[in-house]
């Protein structure tokens, strides 16, 4: 496994990001879909990673700095061929490690509430995330679950 910073303009990454956006829109109305587009992922306050297995894209994830002590996990997605192989776990470990390196005190995320999001919710819970109130600019939304974790 090889975790690379960036690679946003890689054709395979763009395809996976498009799949991510389409999937989010299939579960939520546009106003409730909070996936970042390519230009937002290139923002200076966002760090984007891609995980590769034998030169094949396996997953993506990003970390957005909300302030000097609080980060948000964005754009977590595993490619369909790599599901149930520990890719999301590896990316999540990497992002949490990066949050520690940056001395964040808190790491938060927004995920969906539909049954299709249960595996993601369970993964986050295994890593110590718990439900919380909306953070940042988010508002209460029946399609969104907000989770947070204090970083020690």
């Amino acid at each position: 496994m090889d975790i690379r910073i960036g690679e946003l303009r890689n054709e395979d990454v763009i395809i996976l990001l498009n799949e991510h956006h389409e999937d989010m829109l299939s579960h939520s109305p546009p106003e409730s879909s909070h996936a970042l587009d390519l230009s937002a992922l290139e923002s200076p306050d966002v760090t984007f990673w891609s995980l590769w297995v034998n030169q094949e894209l396996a997953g993506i994830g990003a970390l957005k700095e909300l302030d000097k002590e609080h980060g948000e996990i964005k754009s977590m997605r595993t490619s369909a061929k790599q599901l149930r192989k520990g890719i999301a776990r590896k990316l999540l470990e990497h992002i949490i490690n990066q949050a520690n390196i940056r001395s964040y005190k808190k790491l938060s995320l927004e995920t969906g509430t539909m049954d299709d999001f249960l595996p993601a919710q369970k993964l986050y819970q295994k890593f110590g995330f718990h439900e919380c109130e909306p953070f940042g600019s988010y508002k209460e939304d029946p399609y969104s679950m907000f989770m947070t974790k204090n970083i020690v």
Side-chain angles (χ1 to χ4, degrees), residues 114-142:
M114 311 315 179
D115 287 348
D116 287 349
F117 293 94
L118 284 174
Q121 293 169 13
K122 288 179 181 179
L123 175 68
Y124 296 131
Q125 288 168 348
K126 283 182 186 173
F127 277 83
F129 287 85
H130 59 274
E131 265 190 85
C132 66
E133 296 295 316
F135 58 91
S137 61
Y138 291 109
K139 306 218 178 328
E140 282 291 337
D141 186 328

Side-chain angles (χ1 to χ4, degrees), residues 14-28 33 35 77:
I14 292 170
I15 290 168
L16 187 55
L17 279 169
N18 286 335
E19 287 175 14
H20 180 60
H21 283 258
E22 289 170 16
D23 190 43
M24 297 302 101
L25 290 171
S26 74
H27 297 292
S28 312
S33 180
R77 184 71 175 197

